[in-house]
Amino acid sequence: MQMFLEKSLARAARGTGAAVDFTGKWQNELGSIATIAQTGDVIAGQYVSAVSEGGTSTTGVLSGFVDGDLISFVVHWDQFQAITAWVGQLDPKASTQTINTLWQMTSQVPPGDEWASINAGADVFVRIA
């Protein structure tokens, strides 16, 4: 069975971590805000990006999951043919509640340029409410 597991999953702890409530507003270093409502291990909400094409803000529907201090969410943008996914973990050493994340965004590109449709980066979110 072990040989069929993803290598990274084989290093993951078994079971579920101690519950963390991510409900609230979280702001990243760019001023974007994720508003999260949590029910059990499922999250839903809205994301307001402070940065988009043309320098204006844009919104999207947020949905995802939590497991202990781990979080993953996806945003489907309202005004763009694009989807962004974040995965991260609450930082236990931070003085304020902080989530360190990595993200990937895919957007529509002409046929043949599919690899150009994927962008990646990192965000740090701090709880603001």
Side-chain angles (χ1 to χ4, degrees):
M1 179 80 168
Q2 181 71 18
M3 66 185 199
F4 296 110
L5 292 176
E6 293 281 343
K7 288 185 180 190
S8 59
L9 186 56
R11 293 190 303 267
R14 292 201 177 272
T16 300
V20 171
D21 187 359
F22 287 93
T23 298
K25 291 188 179 205
W26 298 81
Q27 185 172 19
N28 73 9
E29 68 281 359
L30 300 173
S32 300
I33 296 177
T35 303
I36 296 173
Q38 182 175 336
T39 304
D41 63 353
V42 176
I43 60 174
Q46 182 183 43
Y47 194 96
V48 179
S49 175
V51 292
S52 69
E53 186 175 324
T56 61
S57 67
T58 191
T59 60
V61 175
L62 178 153
S63 60
F65 297 94
V66 301
D67 185 348
D69 64 351
L70 304 176
I71 187 168
S72 174
F73 58 91
V74 176
V75 173
H76 182 215
W77 300 105
D78 295 333
Q79 299 169 325
F80 298 94
Q81 189 175 4
I83 299 170
T84 306
W86 286 260
V87 294
Q89 185 171 18
L90 198 65
D91 184 345
K93 297 178 183 176
S95 59
T96 59
Q97 285 193 304
T98 301
I99 307 168
N100 296 313
T101 68
L102 295 176
W103 58 263
Q104 288 191 317
M105 181 185 81
T106 186
S107 57
Q108 187 63 41
V109 296
D113 287 338
E114 285 77 16
W115 282 109
S117 76
I118 302 169
N119 294 290
D123 279 322
V124 176
F125 291 88
V126 176
R127 186 187 292 271
I128 59 173

